[in-house]
């Protein structure tokens, strides 16, 4: 296979899923496996399902369509709050959607009635991260209006912290979610099936046993795929961090100065890069660039190499420490962060290959 390529180890993904699912199960929490960073990759979804996730969470209808047409049988949760214009498709294809706008819930309800269904919704509560969600003082009136719509069923409530603003979830914020849920239950007159406390960001609280008992659902992507929690991005014990490996091919190796020669203005992307003069260094170019990855979010697997910079199609590395052993035609391997993984999955220039299915 030609580089650049992304090697996806499905056994490691399955292992990570199984480990996180069992850790959560011990506290009565079900895990929804989130595939959106892989653009709804069917093999990744299957690995998560083998690992025991109870549903697949996706942010995009196109990804859900890809998974379903590949024959991935699962319950599907739509994580991004729905677009009004997609109500029909959502009721058609998705079992549960996360919601925060009455106009949209009303459209889902009307469509569900037309299709002779009841669409399940999880009402999102904003506990301060300021992305999606109903503000807590509006929650009861929102749920009351939803409960008057015949085509939808309020199946649960959920929240999402640390995504937009980086607000850290705490036992107190999860307790606030539980209190919200209990108020909703007394309004509705039935117990909620789902109280969804968050994402990979909640795993440190789970490990510490600090999650209130009534939280019974999490939507987990990064922790399963990259083996890390998302508050400090520390590795989770007993998980693999290397389920994804990016490979790129060396297309030039030359000894050149570390300082550019000539007057400096902005680079190809309008940035003003800065340089340290370290004399002459061994510089390698590999055949990936900003078209394929978030170049600030990758690391060479060989810790002797550092990334110097990147343009659309070139990534530059200082390989001096390898003492001349890096050659044109070699494959170099890289570890990816979340945003680099997303870009690599999206890039048509990066070939994907799978092992361990
Ligand atoms: C992306 C997303 C998740 C999963 O987040 P991870 O950090 O990858 O675990 C969960 N919930 C919602 C609403 C999301 O958009």
């Amino acid at each position: 296979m030609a580089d650049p390529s992304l090697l996806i180890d499905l056994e490691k993904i399955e292992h990570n899923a199984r480990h996180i699912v069992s850790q959560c199960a011990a506290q009565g929490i079900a895990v929804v496996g989130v595939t959106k960073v892989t653009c709804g990759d069917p093999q990744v979804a299957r690995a998560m399902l083998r690992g025991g996730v109870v549903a697949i969470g996706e942010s995009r209808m196109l990804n859900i369509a890809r998974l379903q047409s590949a024959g991935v049988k699962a319950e599907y949760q739509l994580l991004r709050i729905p677009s009004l214009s997609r109500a029909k498709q959502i009721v058609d294809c998705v079992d549960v959607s996360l919601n925060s706008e009455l106009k949209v819930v009303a459209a889902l309800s009307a469509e569900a009635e037309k299709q002779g269904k009841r669409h399940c919704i999880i009402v999102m509560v904003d506990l301060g991260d300021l992305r999606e969600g109903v503000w807590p003082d509006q929650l009861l009136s929102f749920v009351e209006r939803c409960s008057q719509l015949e085509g939808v069923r309020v199946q649960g409530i959920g929240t999402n912290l640390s995504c937009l603003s980086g607000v850290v979830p705490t036992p107190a914020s999860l307790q606030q979610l539980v209190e919200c849920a209990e108020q909703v239950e007394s309004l509705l007159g039935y117990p909620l099936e789902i109280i969804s406390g968050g994402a990979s960001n909640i795993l440190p609280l789970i490990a510490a046993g600090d999650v209130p008992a009534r939280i019974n659902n999490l939507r987990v992507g990064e922790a399963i795929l990259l083996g890390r929690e998302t508050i400090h991005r520390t590795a989770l014990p007993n998980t693999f961090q290397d389920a994804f490996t990016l490979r790129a091919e060396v297309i030039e190796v030359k000894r050149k100065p570390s300082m550019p020669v000539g007057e400096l203005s902005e680079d190809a992307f309008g940035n003003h890069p800065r340089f340290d003069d370290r004399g002459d260094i061994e510089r390698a170019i590999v055949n990936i660039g900003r078209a394929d990855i978030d170049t600030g979010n990758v690391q060479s697997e060989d810790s002797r190499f550092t990334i110097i910079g990147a343009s659309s199609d070139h990534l530059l590395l200082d390989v001096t420490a390898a003492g001349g052993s890096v050659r044109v035609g070699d494959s170099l391997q890289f570890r990816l962060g979340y945003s680099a993984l997303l870009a690599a999955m999206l890039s048509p220039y990066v070939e994907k290959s799978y092992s361990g299915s």
Side-chain angles (χ1 to χ4, degrees):
M1 188 181 41
D3 290 340
S5 58
L6 184 65
L7 314 180
I8 304 173
D9 188 326
L10 300 167
E11 254 166 39
K12 288 181 175 169
I13 293 170
E14 179 181 337
H15 168 96
N16 287 358
R18 182 168 291 118
H19 176 72
I20 289 164
V21 163
S22 77
Q23 195 180 22
C24 289
Q27 300 192 27
I29 296 171
V31 175
V32 175
V34 177
T35 49
K36 67 189 183 198
V37 73
T38 67
C39 310
D41 185 296
Q43 304 212 56
V44 169
R46 286 199 181 94
M48 287 185 174
L49 289 162
R50 286 195 298 273
V53 303
V54 296
I56 294 295
E58 253 303 335
S59 54
R60 309 253 173 184
M61 290 308 294
L62 196 60
N63 292 348
I64 290 177
R66 176 177 302 118
L67 289 161
Q68 289 178 336
S69 65
V72 180
K73 298 257 181 300
E75 181 181 309
Y76 284 93
Q77 259 192 24
L78 181 62
L79 300 181
R80 186 170 68 182
I81 50 171
S83 311
L84 194 56
S85 58
R86 296 281 171 89
K88 179 179 183 314
Q89 193 193 1
I90 290 163
V91 171
D92 257 343
C93 305
V94 172
D95 304 288
V96 188
S97 61
L98 275 42
N99 282 273
S100 64
E101 284 290 352
L102 203 56
K103 190 174 174 183
V104 175
V105 178
L108 292 170
S109 174
E111 184 56 42
E113 283 193 84
K114 221 187 280 175
Q115 296 187 20
K117 287 183 178 170
R118 260 189 124 188
H119 179 75
C120 288
I121 64 170
I122 293 176
V123 175
M124 293 302 277
V125 190
D126 187 342
L127 296 179
D129 198 53
L130 306 180
R131 203 177 74 177
E132 76 276 40
V134 179
W135 205 246
D137 65 357
Q138 305 288 309
L139 178 63
L140 290 181
S141 64
F142 182 88
V143 170
E144 186 165 27
R145 304 280 291 279
C146 293
S147 70
Q148 291 156 355
L149 298 164
E150 291 294 320
V152 294
R153 175 179 165 81
V154 179
Q155 194 185 28
I157 70 168
T159 195
N160 195 46
L161 287 166
S162 82
C163 265
L164 180 73
S165 314
V167 172
V168 177
T170 60
S173 56
L174 292 177
Q175 189 53 40
Q176 192 189 353
L177 182 69
V178 170
E179 280 158 22
C180 288
E182 287 170 349
Q183 289 166 12
V184 166
E185 288 174 332
S186 60
L187 172 78
L188 292 174
Y190 60 84
L192 294 173
E193 286 154 54
I194 294 178
I195 305 179
S196 189
S200 302
N201 56 358
I202 306 296
L203 292 169
L205 294 178
I206 291 194
D210 270 345
V211 172
R214 286 224 53 203
I215 303 286
N216 63 5
N217 185 281
L218 289 187
R219 314 167 303 265
V220 180
E222 182 162 350
I224 294 175
L225 299 169
L226 297 175
R228 300 182 313 204
E229 50 82 25
T230 52
I231 299 299
H232 304 293
R233 297 245 148 58
T234 53
L236 294 167
N238 305 313
T239 63
F240 294 103
Q241 284 72 52
D242 58 352
F244 295 85
T245 303
L246 181 70
R247 281 196 349 203
E249 183 178 327
V250 177
I251 54 175
E252 182 186 297
V253 188
K254 294 201 188 297
R255 205 162 180 88
K256 294 185 192 175
S258 46
M259 286 296 283
V261 181
E263 189 191 333
L264 296 183
S265 177
E266 41 180 58
D267 69 8
F269 285 82
N271 303 312
H272 293 262
R274 293 164 50 86
F275 303 90
D276 297 323
D277 193 352
R278 286 170 288 135
D280 281 4
I281 55 172
E282 189 102 327
R283 304 167 70 96
I285 305 179
V286 295
N287 64 348
I288 46 170
R290 295 194 196 203
D292 316 295
I293 45 169
D294 173 354
T295 51
N297 198 227
V298 294
Q299 247 185 325
S300 165
E301 209 166 72
D302 188 326
S303 59
R304 295 173 301 171
F305 306 160
T306 54
I307 292 171
I308 301 169
S311 58
S312 309
D313 310 300
H314 304 79
L315 183 71
L316 272 287
L317 297 153
D318 178 347
V319 297
T320 313
S325 62
V326 175
R327 304 268 161 74
V328 168
D330 285 357
S331 257
L332 300 188
Q333 306 211 131
F334 298 88
R335 292 268 85 82
L336 304 173
Y338 192 83
S339 61
L341 175 58
L342 176 62
M345 287 301 304
L346 280 166
S347 173
Y349 308 110
V350 176
E351 201 172 322
K352 281 80 184 173
S353 83
Y354 301 84
S355 66
S357 63

